[in-house]
Amino acid sequence: MAEDQTNRDWVEVYGEAGNGTGVFLVGTKEDRTVMLARNVTYHRCVEIANENSYRAFKWIPPAIATYAQVQGSRCPVVNEPCETTCVGLACICDSEAKVCVDGASGSGSSEESEPQPALDYSLPLPI
């Protein structure tokens, strides 16, 4: 089961508020990737993470940030030590390596070459 690193307050306040952005940690400690999914509900993020055996995820509600804002964000301190979560919208804790990672620091990640239409994707998009 994937580690849920979503801010609990966001789930309580915005959990049923519609489509936000999912941030997913996939791969191994040595070969990890951070991926995003746009226009997904919190519950869909849980499903995506568990169906695909992703290591961790967090959901960013639309009231907190847009997909573009999440996509453009990075960890304030790359490889900052962590136990369960990290500061930064697209920053996620690799609890195996005990460090914060984002799309730039995940060894297998890549930037989207062109903006995608704002649709509900069933699989996450690489950042």
Side-chain angles (χ1 to χ4, degrees):
M1 186 163 181
E3 293 176 40
D4 184 350
Q5 297 182 20
T6 307
N7 181 312
R8 293 293 101 206
D9 292 338
W10 294 351
V11 175
E12 288 179 27
V13 175
Y14 305 109
E16 305 299 324
N19 295 333
T21 303
V23 180
F24 302 90
L25 177 63
V26 303
T28 65
K29 179 177 156 183
E30 295 78 27
D31 186 27
R32 62 183 171 239
T33 302
V34 176
M35 300 178 79
L36 299 181
R38 71 175 85 217
N39 293 329
V40 292
T41 64
Y42 169 74
H43 298 292
R44 182 66 183 130
C45 280
V46 173
E47 290 173 355
I48 290 170
N50 291 324
E51 286 170 2
N52 294 287
S53 300
Y54 292 158
R55 293 174 49 211
F57 76 95
K58 67 179 169 179
W59 176 72
I60 314 295
I64 300 298
T66 65
Y67 174 82
Q69 290 169 319
V70 175
Q71 184 181 37
S73 73
R74 298 290 178 248
C75 294
V77 179
V78 176
N79 293 324
E80 180 176 21
C82 66
E83 292 292 324
T84 58
T85 191
C86 298
V87 176
L89 296 172
C91 189
I92 197 158
C93 181
D94 181 340
S95 60
E96 225 179 286
K98 304 252 185 257
V99 295
C100 294
V101 296
D102 59 26
S105 59
S107 61
S109 66
S110 61
E111 193 70 32
E112 268 186 332
S113 57
E114 295 179 14
Q116 299 294 318
L119 300 173
D120 185 4
Y121 292 93
S122 60
L123 294 175
L125 301 172
I127 61 168

